[in-house]
Amino acid sequence: MAAAEKMIDLPADAPIQFFDLKAQQATIRPALEQRWTTILDHGRYIGGPEVDECEAKLCEFTGAADAVAVGSGTQALVMPLIALGYGHGDAVFIPGFTYNATANAVLLAGATPVLVDIDPGTFNMDPEDLERKIQRVKGTRNLRARAVIPVDLYGLPANYTAIQEVADAHGLRIVADAAQSFGGKQEGKWIGTLAEISATSFYPTKTLGGYGDGGAILVRDKEMGELLRSIRWHGTGDNRKESIRVGINGRCDSIQCAVVSEKLDIFEAERQRRIVAASVYEQRLAGKVETQSVKQGDEPAYGLYTVRVPDRDAVRAKLSEAGIPTAIYYDTPIHQMPAFEQFAPARGLPECERASREVLSLPMHPYLSEDQVHRVCDTLLGALQR
């Protein structure tokens, strides 16, 4: 049976869910139960054949040279920084409007996060501010500019062309934070191949999620893939006994890899449904609320659909009263969180701060019907007119 034919359709009047993992599970549960029985039978809960299968499928889908399944999206960011040898005294540039995992990963590797403001239209790293922040670091004696971690916020690819130009001009490496963007494209290339190293997450609500924590690192260079495999198993060699380098426990278990492999079989069909839902949002909302800017050549993964609205809390309350769930990603920029205040730029990050006051994420998942998306739009537009 084709993947699209496997997927269930919910009634038009069904309650609207922000994410709907139950509908997805109804599509794949029999196959998952069969996979779990296989794992119970062979007993290789760590490092089983499901890990190799998942990695091969990730490469086949994205065109990456190699894929390394790991224990979380955060590990998928930390391990490349370890592999590249970054640590004390090294500056890693990240956007100030992202999940805290991006900053934590830099610090866990021993490096220093330098926060960059965002483009107000895309919510992604502003290449012009990146250039400014690199110049400032180069004007100091205590930090070396080493790497950039662009974040594909809400599933929209960062401006990799412009960021790569800046990085190349200063000799910086790029590690993409693609936790929210698996399934997106830029200029015809899949997320996972737009940077030399890309980290993604298998958190359950991601576009490609497991049923627990997990993630993957996608690379252009197979030698880097082998190095990361060593690091994820405590830096051991082929016999997995003697450490030949510093590493961590970064393994993704067989069960999560089995779930991800099964979801990959329906992923393209789900991706197309996300695109349909997003197109309805865009048609109904463009020019009436500020939607995320998508430049020509970009194909977002639509992990989230996020708009800017005035008087956000009041609007959100009206949507909730009408049974429309929403979420805020994120209400506090990185430099205003207690753990990271010491890294706040002297003049702040004005676009990050403004976005944190205005963004509102609407329901987005492959099992939203077009009628449901219209209901969301009707309610949102009505709330804005009151």
Side-chain angles (χ1 to χ4, degrees):
M1 183 183 297
E5 294 173 354
K6 293 180 183 179
M7 295 176 64
I8 67 169
D9 291 302
L10 297 177
D13 59 351
I16 295 173
Q17 307 294 328
F18 188 77
F19 299 118
D20 198 339
L21 297 180
K22 289 186 177 180
Q24 183 191 58
Q25 185 187 114
T27 300
I28 60 175
R29 182 161 182 159
L32 285 177
E33 291 178 345
Q34 184 176 356
R35 282 181 174 273
W36 290 339
T37 297
T38 299
I39 293 170
L40 289 172
D41 288 342
H42 68 56
R44 294 177 59 190
Y45 307 113
I46 301 293
E50 291 77 14
V51 178
D52 292 338
E53 178 193 5
C54 179
E55 292 175 344
K57 282 188 168 185
L58 290 168
C59 289
E60 181 181 4
F61 186 90
T62 63
D66 203 357
V68 181
V70 297
S72 71
T74 304
Q75 290 175 0
L77 287 171
V78 174
M79 290 169 53
L81 298 177
I82 294 173
L84 293 169
Y86 299 149
H88 179 71
D90 293 329
V92 178
F93 299 85
I94 68 172
F97 192 59
T98 180
Y99 186 52
N100 50 28
T102 313
N104 277 326
V106 176
L107 290 165
L108 288 168
T112 299
V114 177
L115 303 176
V116 179
D117 213 350
I118 58 170
D119 175 90
T122 66
F123 303 118
N124 283 333
M125 178 181 282
D126 178 3
E128 292 183 2
D129 195 50
L130 172 63
E131 174 68 33
R132 288 191 289 268
K133 296 298 167 58
I134 293 172
Q135 295 290 357
R136 289 179 191 174
V137 166
K138 287 194 166 186
T140 68
R141 295 183 178 180
N142 60 331
L143 284 177
R144 299 175 296 272
R146 300 301 295 271
V148 185
I149 301 181
V151 177
D152 305 331
L153 205 66
Y154 309 138
L156 176 66
N159 189 344
Y160 285 97
T161 300
I163 291 171
Q164 188 71 62
E165 289 177 0
V166 175
D168 288 345
H170 296 282
L172 276 61
R173 308 288 286 272
I174 294 180
V175 177
D177 183 340
Q180 299 178 4
S181 61
F182 188 89
K185 288 182 179 181
Q186 190 168 82
E187 302 298 337
K189 296 181 180 178
W190 289 105
I191 291 290
T193 63
L194 300 178
E196 61 173 313
I197 303 172
S198 300
T200 195
S201 171
F202 296 152
Y203 189 79
T205 56
K206 303 300 185 186
T207 55
L208 180 64
Y211 286 164
D213 273 320
I217 308 166
L218 299 155
V219 297
R220 294 174 178 169
D221 178 10
K222 289 188 71 69
E223 289 187 10
M224 175 59 73
E226 290 307 311
L227 174 57
L228 291 165
R229 283 191 176 82
S230 171
I231 291 172
R232 80 172 171 188
W233 207 295
H234 295 288
T236 55
D238 292 340
N239 62 9
R240 294 178 178 171
K241 294 181 180 180
E242 181 181 21
S243 289
I244 57 178
R245 58 180 58 88
V246 173
I248 62 174
N249 175 2
R251 302 178 296 250
C252 188
D253 64 69
S254 302
I255 290 177
Q256 296 310 321
C257 285
V259 173
V260 171
S261 288
E262 196 59 42
K263 288 190 178 185
L264 272 167
D265 288 344
I266 62 169
F267 185 80
E268 179 58 23
E270 288 192 335
R271 190 178 79 90
Q272 293 300 325
R273 287 196 176 196
R274 288 180 184 270
I275 291 172
V276 170
S279 67
V280 175
Y281 276 134
E282 195 66 25
Q283 291 164 11
R284 294 290 311 278
L285 300 179
K288 298 172 184 175
V289 297
E290 192 173 344
T291 59
Q292 191 176 21
S293 298
V294 179
K295 68 180 178 65
Q296 187 174 2
D298 283 351
E299 296 183 37
Y302 295 115
L304 295 163
Y305 193 89
T306 302
V307 299
R308 291 181 186 265
V309 293
D311 198 9
R312 179 184 62 197
D313 292 344
V315 170
R316 191 181 186 201
K318 291 173 184 175
L319 288 167
S320 179
E321 290 172 6
I324 308 295
T326 59
I328 300 172
Y329 299 91
Y330 302 92
D331 60 0
T332 306
I334 292 294
H335 66 292
Q336 293 180 344
M337 295 183 183
F340 311 122
E341 286 178 343
Q342 62 182 303
F343 306 109
R347 298 181 181 179
L349 299 168
E351 291 300 339
C352 294
E353 293 160 21
R354 184 166 75 92
S356 71
R357 298 189 297 267
E358 297 177 350
V359 292
L360 185 67
S361 294
L362 306 176
M364 170 54 75
H365 58 80
Y367 300 88
L368 276 174
S369 69
E370 292 188 47
D371 286 342
Q372 288 179 317
V373 179
H374 281 294
R375 283 164 53 195
V376 175
C377 294
D378 289 341
T379 307
L380 174 59
L381 295 173
L384 291 170
Q385 291 171 359
R386 293 176 188 172

Short mmCIF file of all heavy atoms in Angstrom, two decimals, residues 314-371:
data_model
loop_
_atom_site.label_atom_id
_atom_site.label_comp_id
_atom_site.label_asym_id
_atom_site.label_seq_id
_atom_site.Cartn_x
_atom_site.Cartn_y
_atom_site.Cartn_z
N ALA A 314 -4.01 38.43 24.49
CA ALA A 314 -5.46 38.56 24.35
C ALA A 314 -5.96 37.75 23.16
O ALA A 314 -7.00 37.07 23.25
CB ALA A 314 -5.84 40.03 24.18
N VAL A 315 -5.23 37.79 22.06
CA VAL A 315 -5.61 37.01 20.88
C VAL A 315 -5.55 35.53 21.19
O VAL A 315 -6.46 34.76 20.82
CB VAL A 315 -4.68 37.36 19.70
CG1 VAL A 315 -4.91 36.39 18.53
CG2 VAL A 315 -4.91 38.79 19.24
N ARG A 316 -4.50 35.13 21.88
CA ARG A 316 -4.35 33.71 22.22
C ARG A 316 -5.50 33.23 23.11
O ARG A 316 -6.01 32.11 22.95
CB ARG A 316 -3.02 33.48 22.92
CG ARG A 316 -2.66 32.03 23.06
CD ARG A 316 -1.34 31.83 23.78
NE ARG A 316 -0.97 30.42 23.76
CZ ARG A 316 -0.12 29.87 24.61
NH1 ARG A 316 0.46 30.60 25.55
NH2 ARG A 316 0.14 28.58 24.53
N ALA A 317 -5.92 34.08 24.04
CA ALA A 317 -7.02 33.71 24.93
C ALA A 317 -8.32 33.51 24.15
O ALA A 317 -9.09 32.57 24.42
CB ALA A 317 -7.19 34.78 26.00
N LYS A 318 -8.56 34.37 23.15
CA LYS A 318 -9.77 34.24 22.33
C LYS A 318 -9.74 32.96 21.51
O LYS A 318 -10.76 32.28 21.35
CB LYS A 318 -9.91 35.45 21.42
CG LYS A 318 -10.23 36.73 22.18
CD LYS A 318 -10.20 37.94 21.27
CE LYS A 318 -10.43 39.23 22.06
NZ LYS A 318 -10.29 40.44 21.22
N LEU A 319 -8.56 32.61 20.99
CA LEU A 319 -8.44 31.35 20.26
C LEU A 319 -8.70 30.16 21.18
O LEU A 319 -9.39 29.20 20.80
CB LEU A 319 -7.05 31.25 19.64
CG LEU A 319 -6.78 32.17 18.44
CD1 LEU A 319 -5.29 32.20 18.13
CD2 LEU A 319 -7.57 31.73 17.22
N SER A 320 -8.16 30.21 22.38
CA SER A 320 -8.37 29.12 23.33
C SER A 320 -9.85 28.95 23.67
O SER A 320 -10.36 27.82 23.75
CB SER A 320 -7.55 29.38 24.60
OG SER A 320 -7.74 28.36 25.54
N GLU A 321 -10.54 30.06 23.86
CA GLU A 321 -11.98 30.00 24.16
C GLU A 321 -12.76 29.31 23.04
O GLU A 321 -13.78 28.67 23.28
CB GLU A 321 -12.52 31.42 24.35
CG GLU A 321 -12.04 32.10 25.62
CD GLU A 321 -12.44 33.56 25.68
OE1 GLU A 321 -13.18 34.00 24.77
OE2 GLU A 321 -12.01 34.26 26.62
N ALA A 322 -12.24 29.44 21.81
CA ALA A 322 -12.91 28.83 20.65
C ALA A 322 -12.40 27.41 20.37
O ALA A 322 -12.77 26.82 19.35
CB ALA A 322 -12.69 29.70 19.42
N GLY A 323 -11.57 26.89 21.26
CA GLY A 323 -11.08 25.52 21.09
C GLY A 323 -9.91 25.40 20.13
O GLY A 323 -9.64 24.31 19.63
N ILE A 324 -9.21 26.51 19.90
CA ILE A 324 -8.05 26.49 19.00
C ILE A 324 -6.79 26.53 19.84
O ILE A 324 -6.48 27.56 20.46
CB ILE A 324 -8.07 27.69 18.02
CG1 ILE A 324 -9.40 27.80 17.30
CG2 ILE A 324 -6.89 27.60 17.06
CD1 ILE A 324 -9.70 26.64 16.38
N PRO A 325 -6.01 25.45 19.89
CA PRO A 325 -4.78 25.46 20.68
C PRO A 325 -3.67 26.23 19.96
O PRO A 325 -3.58 26.22 18.73
CB PRO A 325 -4.42 23.98 20.80
CG PRO A 325 -5.01 23.35 19.57
CD PRO A 325 -6.24 24.14 19.24
N THR A 326 -2.85 26.92 20.72
CA THR A 326 -1.70 27.63 20.18
C THR A 326 -0.51 27.42 21.11
O THR A 326 -0.64 26.85 22.19
CB THR A 326 -1.98 29.14 20.06
OG1 THR A 326 -2.30 29.67 21.37
CG2 THR A 326 -3.11 29.42 19.10
N ALA A 327 0.66 27.89 20.68
CA ALA A 327 1.86 27.81 21.52
C ALA A 327 2.76 28.99 21.20
O ALA A 327 2.61 29.64 20.16
CB ALA A 327 2.60 26.49 21.29
N ILE A 328 3.69 29.28 22.11
CA ILE A 328 4.65 30.36 21.91
C ILE A 328 6.05 29.79 21.91
O ILE A 328 6.50 29.24 22.91
CB ILE A 328 4.51 31.44 23.00
CG1 ILE A 328 3.12 32.04 22.99
CG2 ILE A 328 5.57 32.53 22.81
CD1 ILE A 328 2.84 32.96 24.17
N TYR A 329 6.71 29.88 20.76
CA TYR A 329 8.10 29.46 20.61
C TYR A 329 8.88 30.67 20.07
O TYR A 329 8.87 30.90 18.86
CB TYR A 329 8.23 28.32 19.60
CG TYR A 329 7.50 27.05 19.93
CD1 TYR A 329 6.20 26.83 19.48
CD2 TYR A 329 8.11 26.04 20.66
CE1 TYR A 329 5.53 25.66 19.77
CE2 TYR A 329 7.46 24.85 20.94
CZ TYR A 329 6.17 24.67 20.49
OH TYR A 329 5.51 23.49 20.76
N TYR A 330 9.47 31.51 20.86
CA TYR A 330 9.80 31.39 22.26
C TYR A 330 9.49 32.73 22.93
O TYR A 330 9.64 33.78 22.31
CB TYR A 330 11.27 31.04 22.43
CG TYR A 330 11.59 29.75 21.70
CD1 TYR A 330 12.04 29.78 20.38
CD2 TYR A 330 11.37 28.50 22.31
CE1 TYR A 330 12.28 28.61 19.69
CE2 TYR A 330 11.62 27.32 21.63
CZ TYR A 330 12.07 27.38 20.32
OH TYR A 330 12.28 26.23 19.63
N ASP A 331 9.09 32.71 24.20
CA ASP A 331 8.71 33.95 24.85
C ASP A 331 9.87 34.63 25.57
O ASP A 331 9.70 35.74 26.10
CB ASP A 331 7.55 33.72 25.82
CG ASP A 331 7.88 32.73 26.91
OD1 ASP A 331 9.00 32.20 26.94
OD2 ASP A 331 6.99 32.47 27.75
N THR A 332 11.04 33.99 25.58
CA THR A 332 12.23 34.60 26.18
C THR A 332 13.42 34.36 25.27
O THR A 332 13.78 33.20 25.03
CB THR A 332 12.53 34.00 27.57
OG1 THR A 332 11.37 34.11 28.40
CG2 THR A 332 13.69 34.74 28.24
N PRO A 333 14.04 35.41 24.75
CA PRO A 333 15.24 35.19 23.94
C PRO A 333 16.39 34.70 24.81
O PRO A 333 16.39 34.86 26.04
CB PRO A 333 15.53 36.56 23.35
CG PRO A 333 14.79 37.54 24.18
CD PRO A 333 13.65 36.82 24.81
N ILE A 334 17.37 34.07 24.17
CA ILE A 334 18.47 33.42 24.88
C ILE A 334 19.16 34.38 25.86
O ILE A 334 19.46 34.01 27.01
CB ILE A 334 19.49 32.85 23.88
CG1 ILE A 334 18.87 31.67 23.10
CG2 ILE A 334 20.77 32.40 24.58
CD1 ILE A 334 18.57 30.46 23.94
N HIS A 335 19.44 35.60 25.42
CA HIS A 335 20.26 36.50 26.26
C HIS A 335 19.51 37.00 27.48
O HIS A 335 20.12 37.60 28.37
CB HIS A 335 20.76 37.68 25.42
CG HIS A 335 19.69 38.60 24.94
ND1 HIS A 335 18.76 38.22 24.00
CD2 HIS A 335 19.39 39.90 25.26
CE1 HIS A 335 17.96 39.24 23.76
NE2 HIS A 335 18.31 40.26 24.51
N GLN A 336 18.20 36.75 27.57
CA GLN A 336 17.44 37.17 28.74
C GLN A 336 17.16 36.00 29.69
O GLN A 336 16.49 36.19 30.71
CB GLN A 336 16.14 37.83 28.30
CG GLN A 336 16.37 39.16 27.58
CD GLN A 336 15.09 39.84 27.15
OE1 GLN A 336 14.01 39.23 27.10
NE2 GLN A 336 15.17 41.12 26.82
N MET A 337 17.66 34.81 29.37
CA MET A 337 17.53 33.67 30.27
C MET A 337 18.63 33.73 31.32
O MET A 337 19.78 34.06 31.01
CB MET A 337 17.62 32.36 29.49
CG MET A 337 16.50 32.14 28.51
SD MET A 337 16.64 30.52 27.68
CE MET A 337 15.25 30.61 26.55
N PRO A 338 18.32 33.43 32.58
CA PRO A 338 19.33 33.55 33.64
C PRO A 338 20.64 32.81 33.36
O PRO A 338 21.72 33.33 33.67
CB PRO A 338 18.61 32.97 34.87
CG PRO A 338 17.17 33.21 34.60
CD PRO A 338 17.00 33.05 33.12
N ALA A 339 20.57 31.66 32.74
CA ALA A 339 21.78 30.88 32.51
C ALA A 339 22.70 31.51 31.49
O ALA A 339 23.90 31.20 31.46
CB ALA A 339 21.40 29.46 32.05
N PHE A 340 22.16 32.40 30.64
CA PHE A 340 22.95 32.93 29.52
C PHE A 340 23.08 34.45 29.54
O PHE A 340 23.59 35.04 28.59
CB PHE A 340 22.32 32.50 28.19
CG PHE A 340 21.99 31.03 28.11
CD1 PHE A 340 20.69 30.60 27.86
CD2 PHE A 340 22.97 30.07 28.32
CE1 PHE A 340 20.38 29.26 27.80
CE2 PHE A 340 22.67 28.72 28.26
CZ PHE A 340 21.37 28.30 28.01
N GLU A 341 22.64 35.09 30.62
CA GLU A 341 22.68 36.56 30.67
C GLU A 341 24.09 37.10 30.50
O GLU A 341 24.28 38.20 29.97
CB GLU A 341 22.09 37.04 32.00
CG GLU A 341 20.58 36.93 32.07
CD GLU A 341 20.03 37.37 33.43
OE1 GLU A 341 20.83 37.44 34.38
OE2 GLU A 341 18.82 37.61 33.51
N GLN A 342 25.08 36.35 30.95
CA GLN A 342 26.46 36.83 30.86
C GLN A 342 26.93 36.98 29.41
O GLN A 342 27.92 37.66 29.15
CB GLN A 342 27.41 35.86 31.58
CG GLN A 342 27.42 34.46 30.99
CD GLN A 342 28.32 33.52 31.77
OE1 GLN A 342 29.50 33.79 31.93
NE2 GLN A 342 27.75 32.42 32.26
N PHE A 343 26.20 36.37 28.48
CA PHE A 343 26.58 36.45 27.07
C PHE A 343 25.75 37.49 26.31
O PHE A 343 25.87 37.60 25.08
CB PHE A 343 26.43 35.08 26.41
CG PHE A 343 27.18 34.00 27.12
CD1 PHE A 343 26.50 33.01 27.84
CD2 PHE A 343 28.56 33.97 27.12
CE1 PHE A 343 27.19 32.01 28.51
CE2 PHE A 343 29.26 32.98 27.79
CZ PHE A 343 28.58 32.00 28.49
N ALA A 344 24.91 38.24 27.01
CA ALA A 344 24.05 39.23 26.37
C ALA A 344 24.88 40.36 25.78
O ALA A 344 25.75 40.92 26.46
CB ALA A 344 23.05 39.79 27.38
N PRO A 345 24.64 40.72 24.52
CA PRO A 345 25.32 41.89 23.95
C PRO A 345 24.93 43.16 24.71
O PRO A 345 23.82 43.26 25.24
CB PRO A 345 24.81 41.93 22.51
CG PRO A 345 24.24 40.57 22.25
CD PRO A 345 23.74 40.07 23.56
N ALA A 346 25.84 44.11 24.76
CA ALA A 346 25.61 45.34 25.53
C ALA A 346 24.35 46.06 25.08
O ALA A 346 23.62 46.64 25.90
CB ALA A 346 26.82 46.25 25.41
N ARG A 347 24.08 46.03 23.78
CA ARG A 347 22.90 46.73 23.25
C ARG A 347 21.70 45.80 23.06
O ARG A 347 20.71 46.18 22.44
CB ARG A 347 23.26 47.39 21.92
CG ARG A 347 24.34 48.46 22.06
CD ARG A 347 24.66 49.10 20.72
NE ARG A 347 25.71 50.10 20.85
CZ ARG A 347 26.20 50.81 19.84
NH1 ARG A 347 25.71 50.62 18.60
NH2 ARG A 347 27.16 51.69 20.02
N GLY A 348 21.78 44.61 23.59
CA GLY A 348 20.69 43.66 23.46
C GLY A 348 20.56 43.13 22.04
O GLY A 348 21.45 43.30 21.19
N LEU A 349 19.46 42.46 21.79
CA LEU A 349 19.15 41.90 20.47
C LEU A 349 17.71 42.33 20.15
O LEU A 349 16.76 41.60 20.43
CB LEU A 349 19.28 40.38 20.48
CG LEU A 349 20.67 39.82 20.80
CD1 LEU A 349 20.61 38.31 21.07
CD2 LEU A 349 21.65 40.10 19.66
N PRO A 350 17.55 43.52 19.60
CA PRO A 350 16.19 44.10 19.50
C PRO A 350 15.20 43.27 18.71
O PRO A 350 14.02 43.19 19.08
CB PRO A 350 16.45 45.46 18.84
CG PRO A 350 17.83 45.40 18.27
CD PRO A 350 18.59 44.44 19.12
N GLU A 351 15.63 42.62 17.62
CA GLU A 351 14.67 41.84 16.83
C GLU A 351 14.29 40.55 17.56
O GLU A 351 13.15 40.10 17.47
CB GLU A 351 15.23 41.55 15.45
CG GLU A 351 15.33 42.77 14.56
CD GLU A 351 13.99 43.47 14.32
OE1 GLU A 351 12.94 42.83 14.49
OE2 GLU A 351 14.00 44.66 13.97
N CYS A 352 15.24 39.96 18.27
CA CYS A 352 14.92 38.78 19.09
C CYS A 352 13.91 39.15 20.17
O CYS A 352 12.94 38.42 20.42
CB CYS A 352 16.18 38.22 19.74
SG CYS A 352 17.39 37.53 18.61
N GLU A 353 14.12 40.30 20.78
CA GLU A 353 13.23 40.74 21.86
C GLU A 353 11.83 41.04 21.33
O GLU A 353 10.83 40.68 21.95
CB GLU A 353 13.84 41.96 22.54
CG GLU A 353 15.14 41.62 23.29
CD GLU A 353 16.01 42.83 23.56
OE1 GLU A 353 15.47 43.98 23.55
OE2 GLU A 353 17.22 42.66 23.77
N ARG A 354 11.77 41.68 20.17
CA ARG A 354 10.45 41.99 19.60
C ARG A 354 9.72 40.70 19.20
O ARG A 354 8.52 40.55 19.47
CB ARG A 354 10.60 42.89 18.38
CG ARG A 354 9.28 43.34 17.78
CD ARG A 354 9.45 44.49 16.81
NE ARG A 354 10.02 44.06 15.54
CZ ARG A 354 9.29 43.71 14.48
NH1 ARG A 354 7.96 43.70 14.56
NH2 ARG A 354 9.87 43.37 13.35
N ALA A 355 10.44 39.78 18.59
CA ALA A 355 9.81 38.51 18.19
C ALA A 355 9.26 37.77 19.41
O ALA A 355 8.16 37.20 19.36
CB ALA A 355 10.81 37.64 17.45
N SER A 356 9.99 37.79 20.50
CA SER A 356 9.54 37.05 21.69
C SER A 356 8.23 37.59 22.24
O SER A 356 7.49 36.86 22.91
CB SER A 356 10.63 37.09 22.77
OG SER A 356 10.74 38.39 23.34
N ARG A 357 7.93 38.85 21.95
CA ARG A 357 6.67 39.46 22.41
C ARG A 357 5.51 39.24 21.46
O ARG A 357 4.35 39.41 21.85
CB ARG A 357 6.86 40.97 22.61
CG ARG A 357 7.88 41.36 23.65
CD ARG A 357 7.83 42.86 23.93
NE ARG A 357 8.18 43.66 22.76
CZ ARG A 357 9.40 44.09 22.49
NH1 ARG A 357 10.41 43.78 23.29
NH2 ARG A 357 9.64 44.84 21.42
N GLU A 358 5.81 38.86 20.21
CA GLU A 358 4.77 38.87 19.17
C GLU A 358 4.46 37.52 18.54
O GLU A 358 3.39 37.36 17.94
CB GLU A 358 5.19 39.85 18.06
CG GLU A 358 5.30 41.28 18.54
CD GLU A 358 5.80 42.23 17.46
OE1 GLU A 358 6.24 41.74 16.39
OE2 GLU A 358 5.76 43.45 17.68
N VAL A 359 5.37 36.55 18.62
CA VAL A 359 5.15 35.31 17.86
C VAL A 359 4.06 34.45 18.48
O VAL A 359 3.90 34.38 19.70
CB VAL A 359 6.45 34.48 17.74
CG1 VAL A 359 7.47 35.19 16.88
CG2 VAL A 359 7.04 34.15 19.12
N LEU A 360 3.31 33.79 17.62
CA LEU A 360 2.27 32.85 18.04
C LEU A 360 2.23 31.72 17.03
O LEU A 360 2.07 31.95 15.82
CB LEU A 360 0.92 33.55 18.11
CG LEU A 360 -0.25 32.71 18.65
CD1 LEU A 360 -0.03 32.39 20.13
CD2 LEU A 360 -1.58 33.43 18.46
N SER A 361 2.38 30.50 17.51
CA SER A 361 2.37 29.33 16.63
C SER A 361 0.98 28.71 16.61
O SER A 361 0.37 28.48 17.66
CB SER A 361 3.41 28.30 17.08
OG SER A 361 4.72 28.81 16.93
N LEU A 362 0.51 28.45 15.40
CA LEU A 362 -0.82 27.89 15.17
C LEU A 362 -0.73 26.38 14.95
O LEU A 362 0.36 25.87 14.69
CB LEU A 362 -1.44 28.56 13.94
CG LEU A 362 -1.49 30.09 13.96
CD1 LEU A 362 -2.04 30.62 12.64
CD2 LEU A 362 -2.33 30.60 15.13
N PRO A 363 -1.83 25.65 15.05
CA PRO A 363 -1.78 24.21 14.82
C PRO A 363 -1.14 23.86 13.48
O PRO A 363 -1.44 24.49 12.45
CB PRO A 363 -3.25 23.80 14.85
CG PRO A 363 -3.90 24.81 15.75
CD PRO A 363 -3.19 26.10 15.45
N MET A 364 -0.24 22.89 13.49
CA MET A 364 0.41 22.46 12.26
C MET A 364 0.84 21.00 12.42
O MET A 364 1.69 20.67 13.25
CB MET A 364 1.63 23.33 11.95
CG MET A 364 2.52 22.80 10.82
SD MET A 364 1.64 22.45 9.26
CE MET A 364 1.37 24.08 8.61
N HIS A 365 0.21 20.15 11.64
CA HIS A 365 0.60 18.74 11.58
C HIS A 365 -0.04 18.13 10.33
O HIS A 365 -0.94 18.73 9.72
CB HIS A 365 0.21 17.98 12.85
CG HIS A 365 -1.26 18.01 13.16
ND1 HIS A 365 -2.16 17.18 12.54
CD2 HIS A 365 -1.97 18.77 14.04
CE1 HIS A 365 -3.37 17.41 13.02
NE2 HIS A 365 -3.29 18.38 13.93
N PRO A 366 0.41 16.95 9.91
CA PRO A 366 -0.07 16.41 8.63
C PRO A 366 -1.53 15.98 8.62
O PRO A 366 -2.08 15.70 7.55
CB PRO A 366 0.84 15.18 8.41
CG PRO A 366 2.00 15.38 9.30
CD PRO A 366 1.50 16.15 10.47
N TYR A 367 -2.16 15.90 9.80
CA TYR A 367 -3.52 15.37 9.86
C TYR A 367 -4.56 16.47 10.03
O TYR A 367 -5.75 16.19 10.26
CB TYR A 367 -3.59 14.31 10.97
CG TYR A 367 -2.61 13.20 10.67
CD1 TYR A 367 -1.29 13.28 11.11
CD2 TYR A 367 -2.97 12.12 9.86
CE1 TYR A 367 -0.37 12.29 10.77
CE2 TYR A 367 -2.04 11.14 9.52
CZ TYR A 367 -0.75 11.24 9.97
OH TYR A 367 0.17 10.26 9.62
N LEU A 368 -4.13 17.73 9.90
CA LEU A 368 -5.08 18.84 9.84
C LEU A 368 -5.81 18.81 8.50
O LEU A 368 -5.18 18.73 7.45
CB LEU A 368 -4.34 20.17 9.94
CG LEU A 368 -3.98 20.74 11.31
CD1 LEU A 368 -3.12 21.99 11.10
CD2 LEU A 368 -5.22 21.08 12.12
N SER A 369 -7.11 18.89 8.53
CA SER A 369 -7.85 19.01 7.27
C SER A 369 -7.86 20.47 6.83
O SER A 369 -7.64 21.39 7.64
CB SER A 369 -9.28 18.51 7.44
OG SER A 369 -10.01 19.40 8.28
N GLU A 370 -8.13 20.70 5.57
CA GLU A 370 -8.23 22.08 5.09
C GLU A 370 -9.36 22.82 5.81
O GLU A 370 -9.24 24.01 6.10
CB GLU A 370 -8.43 22.10 3.57
CG GLU A 370 -7.22 21.62 2.79
CD GLU A 370 -7.39 21.82 1.29
OE1 GLU A 370 -7.80 22.94 0.89
OE2 GLU A 370 -7.12 20.87 0.53
N ASP A 371 -10.46 22.11 6.08
CA ASP A 371 -11.56 22.74 6.81
C ASP A 371 -11.10 23.20 8.20
O ASP A 371 -11.50 24.28 8.67
CB ASP A 371 -12.74 21.77 6.95
CG ASP A 371 -13.49 21.59 5.65
OD1 ASP A 371 -13.34 22.44 4.75
OD2 ASP A 371 -14.23 20.59 5.52
#
